[in-house]
Amino acid sequence: MIRFSNVSKAYHGATQPALQGLNFHLPVGSMTYLVGHSGAGKSTLLKLIMGMEKANAGNIWFNGHDITRLSKYEIPFLRRQIGMVHQDYRLLTDSVAENVALPLIIAGMNPKEAHTRALVALDRVGLRSKANYMPPQISGGEQQRVDIARAIVHKPQLLLADEPTGNLDGELSLGIFNLFEEFNRLGITVLIATHDINLIQQKPKPCLVLEQGYLRY
């Protein structure tokens, strides 16, 4: 699914590279944690997979295709195969259903069909009854589940999550991780960047550990 081969990333003006010589493989259907302290490079790694950043060295393979040097015209096709869950939800002021349908609308789907698909995705995360609510009318945990529904509405092969439980308490965090496990059982490859040690201990999975840009084994 995802393979990094000697990948490095440096930002202009930084005192040291964000990532240095990374080599790892995420098989199809796997579920993996990406762990490390703040500034270790977790978000940068996810951005490289999404095509939001470009590596300075090495190669990144997605389903056998080198995505390291994609053109700006090719990146949207890559992102249609990937779902992204954020820590801060990033919901618009539209209704819950409209938020979830947005990726499909952007991709050119008929709005009626996109709304139907959005309701199915909301059902998957237990929020179909809140489809017509506005984001301020639902709780933080529910807003996170809306973000997850939006990430999986286009049926991605890969689901990335960047500190998805950073703003939630322990019980809500466990519920979010249960959702990720459910999607993984359906065949979606999952990579979760997190510093939530308690959840990692409760839900043990393989870990990629970043320390100052290096991968520790």
Side-chain angles (χ1 to χ4, degrees), residues 3 13 25 55 58 71 73 76 79 119 126 137 156 162 173 177 181-182 186 209 215:
R3 186 182 299 275
H25 176 225
S71 72
Y73 303 105
R79 291 179 182 170
L119 293 180
Q137 296 177 298
D162 193 1
S173 296
F177 271 73
E181 286 186 321
E182 180 182 333
L186 294 172
V209 183
L215 198 59

Side-chain angles (χ1 to χ4, degrees), residues 73-142:
Y73 303 105
E74 295 171 306
I75 288 175
F77 296 98
L78 168 68
R79 291 179 182 170
R80 288 174 192 172
Q81 302 174 72
I82 303 173
M84 183 72 189
V85 179
H86 310 88
Q87 178 179 347
D88 55 3
Y89 321 142
R90 301 187 182 182
L91 301 182
L92 305 178
T93 55
D94 303 308
S95 72
V96 163
E98 288 170 325
N99 267 277
V100 175
L102 182 62
L104 303 178
I105 299 294
I106 291 174
M109 182 176 288
N110 175 280
K112 185 175 181 180
E113 183 180 353
H115 181 75
T116 299
R117 288 270 295 271
L119 293 180
V120 172
L122 285 168
D123 196 37
R124 283 274 177 85
V125 300
L127 287 177
R128 185 165 183 148
S129 63
K130 303 290 179 72
N132 294 322
Y133 282 53
M134 306 302 285
Q137 296 177 298
I138 61 178
S139 69
E142 289 171 331

Side-chain angles (χ1 to χ4, degrees), residues 165-208:
T165 61
N167 296 323
L168 305 178
D169 63 28
E171 184 176 352
L172 290 174
S173 296
L174 188 59
I176 295 300
F177 271 73
N178 287 338
L179 277 175
F180 288 133
E181 286 186 321
E182 180 182 333
F183 296 135
N184 182 239
R185 286 192 291 270
L186 294 172
I188 298 176
T189 304
V190 180
L191 177 61
I192 304 171
T194 184
H195 63 271
D196 195 329
I197 301 302
N198 289 330
L199 275 173
I200 292 172
Q201 292 174 341
Q202 291 183 66
K203 300 280 189 178
K205 306 287 180 188
C207 287
L208 296 173

Side-chain angles (χ1 to χ4, degrees), residues 147-160:
D147 191 37
I148 294 171
R150 183 173 56 186
I152 58 97
V153 70
H154 60 296
K155 301 178 181 178
Q157 299 179 41
L158 173 66
L159 183 61
L160 304 176

